[in-house]
PDB file of all heavy atoms in Angstrom:
ATOM      1  N   GLY A  23     -18.407 -70.565   4.595  1.00 44.00           N
ATOM      2  CA  GLY A  23     -18.578 -71.353   3.383  1.00 44.00           C
ATOM      3  C   GLY A  23     -17.416 -72.310   3.275  1.00 44.00           C
ATOM      4  O   GLY A  23     -16.983 -72.899   4.252  1.00 44.00           O
ATOM      5  N   GLU A  24     -16.895 -72.466   2.112  1.00 40.00           N
ATOM      6  CA  GLU A  24     -15.692 -73.263   1.919  1.00 40.00           C
ATOM      7  C   GLU A  24     -14.511 -72.378   1.552  1.00 40.00           C
ATOM      8  O   GLU A  24     -13.437 -72.858   1.318  1.00 40.00           O
ATOM      9  CB  GLU A  24     -15.924 -74.305   0.819  1.00 40.00           C
ATOM     10  CG  GLU A  24     -16.912 -75.384   1.205  1.00 40.00           C
ATOM     11  CD  GLU A  24     -16.461 -76.197   2.399  1.00 40.00           C
ATOM     12  OE1 GLU A  24     -15.279 -76.558   2.479  1.00 40.00           O
ATOM     13  OE2 GLU A  24     -17.295 -76.451   3.281  1.00 40.00           O
ATOM     14  N   LYS A  25     -14.753 -71.051   1.507  1.00 44.00           N
ATOM     15  CA  LYS A  25     -13.737 -70.150   1.002  1.00 44.00           C
ATOM     16  C   LYS A  25     -12.695 -69.750   2.037  1.00 44.00           C
ATOM     17  O   LYS A  25     -11.526 -69.733   1.750  1.00 44.00           O
ATOM     18  CB  LYS A  25     -14.387 -68.886   0.442  1.00 44.00           C
ATOM     19  CG  LYS A  25     -15.185 -69.122  -0.799  1.00 44.00           C
ATOM     20  CD  LYS A  25     -15.595 -67.807  -1.394  1.00 44.00           C
ATOM     21  CE  LYS A  25     -17.030 -67.531  -1.045  1.00 44.00           C
ATOM     22  NZ  LYS A  25     -17.516 -66.282  -1.587  1.00 44.00           N
ATOM     23  N   MET A  26     -13.123 -69.390   3.232  1.00 48.00           N
ATOM     24  CA  MET A  26     -12.187 -68.808   4.181  1.00 48.00           C
ATOM     25  C   MET A  26     -12.531 -69.235   5.597  1.00 48.00           C
ATOM     26  O   MET A  26     -13.678 -69.447   5.927  1.00 48.00           O
ATOM     27  CB  MET A  26     -12.268 -67.286   4.068  1.00 48.00           C
ATOM     28  CG  MET A  26     -11.272 -66.562   4.911  1.00 48.00           C
ATOM     29  SD  MET A  26     -11.347 -64.782   4.691  1.00 48.00           S
ATOM     30  CE  MET A  26     -10.389 -64.586   3.209  1.00 48.00           C
ATOM     31  N   GLN A  27     -11.543 -69.346   6.421  1.00 56.00           N
ATOM     32  CA  GLN A  27     -11.759 -69.608   7.835  1.00 56.00           C
ATOM     33  C   GLN A  27     -10.753 -68.797   8.624  1.00 56.00           C
ATOM     34  O   GLN A  27      -9.689 -68.468   8.135  1.00 56.00           O
ATOM     35  CB  GLN A  27     -11.632 -71.089   8.148  1.00 56.00           C
ATOM     36  CG  GLN A  27     -10.251 -71.661   7.926  1.00 56.00           C
ATOM     37  CD  GLN A  27     -10.206 -73.136   8.213  1.00 56.00           C
ATOM     38  OE1 GLN A  27     -11.219 -73.794   8.205  1.00 56.00           O
ATOM     39  NE2 GLN A  27      -9.030 -73.637   8.455  1.00 56.00           N
ATOM     40  N   ILE A  28     -11.113 -68.446   9.825  1.00 60.00           N
ATOM     41  CA  ILE A  28     -10.193 -67.724  10.692  1.00 60.00           C
ATOM     42  C   ILE A  28      -9.170 -68.731  11.175  1.00 60.00           C
ATOM     43  O   ILE A  28      -9.510 -69.732  11.774  1.00 60.00           O
ATOM     44  CB  ILE A  28     -10.943 -67.087  11.873  1.00 60.00           C
ATOM     45  CG1 ILE A  28     -11.977 -66.096  11.365  1.00 60.00           C
ATOM     46  CG2 ILE A  28      -9.960 -66.386  12.808  1.00 60.00           C
ATOM     47  CD1 ILE A  28     -12.896 -65.563  12.434  1.00 60.00           C
ATOM     48  N   SER A  29      -7.921 -68.473  10.888  1.00 62.00           N
ATOM     49  CA  SER A  29      -6.865 -69.414  11.247  1.00 62.00           C
ATOM     50  C   SER A  29      -5.595 -68.634  11.549  1.00 62.00           C
ATOM     51  O   SER A  29      -5.594 -67.410  11.606  1.00 62.00           O
ATOM     52  CB  SER A  29      -6.644 -70.393  10.091  1.00 62.00           C
ATOM     53  OG  SER A  29      -6.139 -69.704   8.961  1.00 62.00           O
ATOM     54  N   ALA A  30      -4.527 -69.355  11.689  1.00 63.00           N
ATOM     55  CA  ALA A  30      -3.246 -68.722  11.982  1.00 63.00           C
ATOM     56  C   ALA A  30      -2.789 -67.828  10.835  1.00 63.00           C
ATOM     57  O   ALA A  30      -2.011 -66.905  11.035  1.00 63.00           O
ATOM     58  CB  ALA A  30      -2.194 -69.789  12.261  1.00 63.00           C
ATOM     59  N   ALA A  31      -3.285 -68.072   9.611  1.00 72.00           N
ATOM     60  CA  ALA A  31      -2.916 -67.266   8.452  1.00 72.00           C
ATOM     61  C   ALA A  31      -3.581 -65.895   8.474  1.00 72.00           C
ATOM     62  O   ALA A  31      -3.183 -64.996   7.761  1.00 72.00           O
ATOM     63  CB  ALA A  31      -3.285 -67.994   7.159  1.00 72.00           C
ATOM     64  N   MET A  32      -4.588 -65.738   9.314  1.00 85.00           N
ATOM     65  CA  MET A  32      -5.327 -64.482   9.399  1.00 85.00           C
ATOM     66  C   MET A  32      -4.667 -63.571  10.428  1.00 85.00           C
ATOM     67  O   MET A  32      -4.272 -64.010  11.493  1.00 85.00           O
ATOM     68  CB  MET A  32      -6.771 -64.742   9.817  1.00 85.00           C
ATOM     69  CG  MET A  32      -7.539 -65.695   8.934  1.00 85.00           C
ATOM     70  SD  MET A  32      -7.903 -65.025   7.332  1.00 85.00           S
ATOM     71  CE  MET A  32      -9.145 -63.857   7.755  1.00 85.00           C
ATOM     72  N   GLN A  33      -4.583 -62.300  10.103  1.00 91.00           N
ATOM     73  CA  GLN A  33      -4.050 -61.302  11.025  1.00 91.00           C
ATOM     74  C   GLN A  33      -5.221 -60.540  11.639  1.00 91.00           C
ATOM     75  O   GLN A  33      -6.060 -60.011  10.912  1.00 91.00           O
ATOM     76  CB  GLN A  33      -3.147 -60.320  10.276  1.00 91.00           C
ATOM     77  CG  GLN A  33      -1.931 -60.950   9.655  1.00 91.00           C
ATOM     78  CD  GLN A  33      -0.965 -61.450  10.703  1.00 91.00           C
ATOM     79  OE1 GLN A  33      -0.777 -60.830  11.746  1.00 91.00           O
ATOM     80  NE2 GLN A  33      -0.345 -62.581  10.429  1.00 91.00           N
ATOM     81  N   GLU A  34      -5.275 -60.500  12.935  1.00 93.00           N
ATOM     82  CA  GLU A  34      -6.318 -59.739  13.606  1.00 93.00           C
ATOM     83  C   GLU A  34      -6.019 -58.258  13.444  1.00 93.00           C
ATOM     84  O   GLU A  34      -4.940 -57.785  13.784  1.00 93.00           O
ATOM     85  CB  GLU A  34      -6.360 -60.118  15.082  1.00 93.00           C
ATOM     86  CG  GLU A  34      -7.479 -59.455  15.844  1.00 93.00           C
ATOM     87  CD  GLU A  34      -7.507 -59.901  17.288  1.00 93.00           C
ATOM     88  OE1 GLU A  34      -7.987 -61.007  17.545  1.00 93.00           O
ATOM     89  OE2 GLU A  34      -7.014 -59.124  18.121  1.00 93.00           O
ATOM     90  N   ILE A  35      -6.992 -57.518  12.909  1.00 95.00           N
ATOM     91  CA  ILE A  35      -6.828 -56.089  12.683  1.00 95.00           C
ATOM     92  C   ILE A  35      -7.349 -55.288  13.865  1.00 95.00           C
ATOM     93  O   ILE A  35      -6.666 -54.423  14.396  1.00 95.00           O
ATOM     94  CB  ILE A  35      -7.562 -55.656  11.392  1.00 95.00           C
ATOM     95  CG1 ILE A  35      -7.007 -56.381  10.170  1.00 95.00           C
ATOM     96  CG2 ILE A  35      -7.506 -54.145  11.190  1.00 95.00           C
ATOM     97  CD1 ILE A  35      -5.569 -56.083   9.865  1.00 95.00           C
ATOM     98  N   PHE A  36      -8.600 -55.550  14.258  1.00 97.00           N
ATOM     99  CA  PHE A  36      -9.227 -54.792  15.329  1.00 97.00           C
ATOM    100  C   PHE A  36     -10.323 -55.640  15.951  1.00 97.00           C
ATOM    101  O   PHE A  36     -11.033 -56.347  15.245  1.00 97.00           O
ATOM    102  CB  PHE A  36      -9.817 -53.483  14.780  1.00 97.00           C
ATOM    103  CG  PHE A  36     -10.297 -52.537  15.836  1.00 97.00           C
ATOM    104  CD1 PHE A  36      -9.407 -51.808  16.592  1.00 97.00           C
ATOM    105  CD2 PHE A  36     -11.656 -52.380  16.071  1.00 97.00           C
ATOM    106  CE1 PHE A  36      -9.850 -50.926  17.573  1.00 97.00           C
ATOM    107  CE2 PHE A  36     -12.111 -51.509  17.040  1.00 97.00           C
ATOM    108  CZ  PHE A  36     -11.202 -50.777  17.787  1.00 97.00           C
ATOM    109  N   THR A  37     -10.468 -55.540  17.269  1.00 96.00           N
ATOM    110  CA  THR A  37     -11.465 -56.325  17.983  1.00 96.00           C
ATOM    111  C   THR A  37     -12.192 -55.449  18.993  1.00 96.00           C
ATOM    112  O   THR A  37     -11.584 -54.600  19.635  1.00 96.00           O
ATOM    113  CB  THR A  37     -10.790 -57.490  18.735  1.00 96.00           C
ATOM    114  OG1 THR A  37     -10.081 -58.298  17.802  1.00 96.00           O
ATOM    115  CG2 THR A  37     -11.812 -58.361  19.436  1.00 96.00           C
ATOM    116  N   THR A  38     -13.488 -55.687  19.120  1.00 96.00           N
ATOM    117  CA  THR A  38     -14.294 -55.078  20.180  1.00 96.00           C
ATOM    118  C   THR A  38     -15.022 -56.221  20.880  1.00 96.00           C
ATOM    119  O   THR A  38     -14.874 -57.389  20.499  1.00 96.00           O
ATOM    120  CB  THR A  38     -15.327 -54.080  19.622  1.00 96.00           C
ATOM    121  OG1 THR A  38     -16.268 -54.782  18.822  1.00 96.00           O
ATOM    122  CG2 THR A  38     -14.665 -52.985  18.812  1.00 96.00           C
ATOM    123  N   ASP A  39     -15.835 -55.888  21.861  1.00 95.00           N
ATOM    124  CA  ASP A  39     -16.625 -56.912  22.544  1.00 95.00           C
ATOM    125  C   ASP A  39     -17.651 -57.551  21.621  1.00 95.00           C
ATOM    126  O   ASP A  39     -18.095 -58.665  21.863  1.00 95.00           O
ATOM    127  CB  ASP A  39     -17.356 -56.312  23.747  1.00 95.00           C
ATOM    128  CG  ASP A  39     -16.400 -55.920  24.856  1.00 95.00           C
ATOM    129  OD1 ASP A  39     -15.262 -56.436  24.879  1.00 95.00           O
ATOM    130  OD2 ASP A  39     -16.793 -55.096  25.703  1.00 95.00           O
ATOM    131  N   ASN A  40     -18.038 -56.849  20.561  1.00 94.00           N
ATOM    132  CA  ASN A  40     -19.106 -57.331  19.682  1.00 94.00           C
ATOM    133  C   ASN A  40     -18.630 -57.897  18.355  1.00 94.00           C
ATOM    134  O   ASN A  40     -19.444 -58.399  17.582  1.00 94.00           O
ATOM    135  CB  ASN A  40     -20.102 -56.202  19.408  1.00 94.00           C
ATOM    136  CG  ASN A  40     -20.755 -55.727  20.682  1.00 94.00           C
ATOM    137  OD1 ASN A  40     -21.213 -56.527  21.485  1.00 94.00           O
ATOM    138  ND2 ASN A  40     -20.761 -54.428  20.895  1.00 94.00           N
ATOM    139  N   GLY A  41     -17.347 -57.801  18.064  1.00 96.00           N
ATOM    140  CA  GLY A  41     -16.892 -58.318  16.780  1.00 96.00           C
ATOM    141  C   GLY A  41     -15.402 -58.163  16.589  1.00 96.00           C
ATOM    142  O   GLY A  41     -14.683 -57.688  17.479  1.00 96.00           O
ATOM    143  N   ALA A  42     -14.963 -58.561  15.396  1.00 96.00           N
ATOM    144  CA  ALA A  42     -13.546 -58.483  15.054  1.00 96.00           C
ATOM    145  C   ALA A  42     -13.396 -58.399  13.540  1.00 96.00           C
ATOM    146  O   ALA A  42     -14.266 -58.837  12.790  1.00 96.00           O
ATOM    147  CB  ALA A  42     -12.797 -59.707  15.574  1.00 96.00           C
ATOM    148  N   VAL A  43     -12.285 -57.825  13.123  1.00 97.00           N
ATOM    149  CA  VAL A  43     -11.937 -57.772  11.704  1.00 97.00           C
ATOM    150  C   VAL A  43     -10.571 -58.421  11.553  1.00 97.00           C
ATOM    151  O   VAL A  43      -9.632 -58.092  12.280  1.00 97.00           O
ATOM    152  CB  VAL A  43     -11.916 -56.318  11.178  1.00 97.00           C
ATOM    153  CG1 VAL A  43     -11.484 -56.287   9.719  1.00 97.00           C
ATOM    154  CG2 VAL A  43     -13.288 -55.672  11.346  1.00 97.00           C
ATOM    155  N   TYR A  44     -10.487 -59.357  10.623  1.00 96.00           N
ATOM    156  CA  TYR A  44      -9.242 -60.062  10.333  1.00 96.00           C
ATOM    157  C   TYR A  44      -8.843 -59.780   8.895  1.00 96.00           C
ATOM    158  O   TYR A  44      -9.683 -59.513   8.047  1.00 96.00           O
ATOM    159  CB  TYR A  44      -9.415 -61.582  10.505  1.00 96.00           C
ATOM    160  CG  TYR A  44      -9.830 -61.990  11.894  1.00 96.00           C
ATOM    161  CD1 TYR A  44     -11.163 -62.111  12.237  1.00 96.00           C
ATOM    162  CD2 TYR A  44      -8.872 -62.250  12.867  1.00 96.00           C
ATOM    163  CE1 TYR A  44     -11.553 -62.488  13.515  1.00 96.00           C
ATOM    164  CE2 TYR A  44      -9.247 -62.626  14.150  1.00 96.00           C
ATOM    165  CZ  TYR A  44     -10.584 -62.741  14.463  1.00 96.00           C
ATOM    166  OH  TYR A  44     -10.959 -63.104  15.727  1.00 96.00           O
ATOM    167  N   GLN A  45      -7.538 -59.880   8.616  1.00 93.00           N
ATOM    168  CA  GLN A  45      -7.018 -59.670   7.276  1.00 93.00           C
ATOM    169  C   GLN A  45      -6.311 -60.922   6.803  1.00 93.00           C
ATOM    170  O   GLN A  45      -5.533 -61.514   7.552  1.00 93.00           O
ATOM    171  CB  GLN A  45      -6.042 -58.487   7.273  1.00 93.00           C
ATOM    172  CG  GLN A  45      -5.430 -58.193   5.932  1.00 93.00           C
ATOM    173  CD  GLN A  45      -4.510 -56.986   5.979  1.00 93.00           C
ATOM    174  OE1 GLN A  45      -4.345 -56.359   7.023  1.00 93.00           O
ATOM    175  NE2 GLN A  45      -3.894 -56.677   4.861  1.00 93.00           N
ATOM    176  N   CYS A  46      -6.585 -61.300   5.566  1.00 89.00           N
ATOM    177  CA  CYS A  46      -5.887 -62.427   4.949  1.00 89.00           C
ATOM    178  C   CYS A  46      -5.040 -61.883   3.810  1.00 89.00           C
ATOM    179  O   CYS A  46      -5.576 -61.395   2.808  1.00 89.00           O
ATOM    180  CB  CYS A  46      -6.885 -63.459   4.428  1.00 89.00           C
ATOM    181  SG  CYS A  46      -6.065 -64.875   3.660  1.00 89.00           S
ATOM    182  N   ASP A  47      -3.721 -61.954   3.961  1.00 82.00           N
ATOM    183  CA  ASP A  47      -2.827 -61.451   2.928  1.00 82.00           C
ATOM    184  C   ASP A  47      -2.829 -62.339   1.686  1.00 82.00           C
ATOM    185  O   ASP A  47      -2.573 -61.863   0.591  1.00 82.00           O
ATOM    186  CB  ASP A  47      -1.406 -61.314   3.470  1.00 82.00           C
ATOM    187  CG  ASP A  47      -1.289 -60.200   4.498  1.00 82.00           C
ATOM    188  OD1 ASP A  47      -2.077 -59.230   4.411  1.00 82.00           O
ATOM    189  OD2 ASP A  47      -0.431 -60.299   5.384  1.00 82.00           O
ATOM    190  N   LYS A  48      -3.127 -63.611   1.866  1.00 85.00           N
ATOM    191  CA  LYS A  48      -3.156 -64.529   0.724  1.00 85.00           C
ATOM    192  C   LYS A  48      -4.258 -64.167  -0.260  1.00 85.00           C
ATOM    193  O   LYS A  48      -4.053 -64.145  -1.460  1.00 85.00           O
ATOM    194  CB  LYS A  48      -3.359 -65.973   1.194  1.00 85.00           C
ATOM    195  CG  LYS A  48      -2.174 -66.564   1.893  1.00 85.00           C
ATOM    196  CD  LYS A  48      -2.454 -67.998   2.291  1.00 85.00           C
ATOM    197  CE  LYS A  48      -1.303 -68.594   3.067  1.00 85.00           C
ATOM    198  NZ  LYS A  48      -1.590 -69.971   3.496  1.00 85.00           N
ATOM    199  N   SER A  49      -5.454 -63.902   0.259  1.00 85.00           N
ATOM    200  CA  SER A  49      -6.593 -63.609  -0.617  1.00 85.00           C
ATOM    201  C   SER A  49      -6.869 -62.114  -0.742  1.00 85.00           C
ATOM    202  O   SER A  49      -7.745 -61.709  -1.503  1.00 85.00           O
ATOM    203  CB  SER A  49      -7.851 -64.302  -0.094  1.00 85.00           C
ATOM    204  OG  SER A  49      -8.224 -63.763   1.158  1.00 85.00           O
ATOM    205  N   ASN A  50      -6.110 -61.283  -0.004  1.00 87.00           N
ATOM    206  CA  ASN A  50      -6.303 -59.840   0.006  1.00 87.00           C
ATOM    207  C   ASN A  50      -7.748 -59.479   0.346  1.00 87.00           C
ATOM    208  O   ASN A  50      -8.371 -58.668  -0.311  1.00 87.00           O
ATOM    209  CB  ASN A  50      -5.893 -59.220  -1.333  1.00 87.00           C
ATOM    210  CG  ASN A  50      -5.684 -57.729  -1.213  1.00 87.00           C
ATOM    211  OD1 ASN A  50      -5.347 -57.230  -0.149  1.00 87.00           O
ATOM    212  ND2 ASN A  50      -5.893 -57.019  -2.298  1.00 87.00           N
TER     213      ASN A  50
END
Side-chain angles (χ1 to χ4, degrees):
E24 292 298 317
K25 292 189 259 180
M26 185 177 278
Q27 65 182 21
I28 299 172
S29 66
M32 304 290 287
Q33 297 293 323
E34 184 178 282
I35 299 297
F36 189 75
T37 302
T38 65
D39 291 340
N40 298 313
V43 177
Y44 300 91
Q45 179 178 359
C46 180
D47 291 332
K48 289 181 183 178
S49 65
N50 197 28

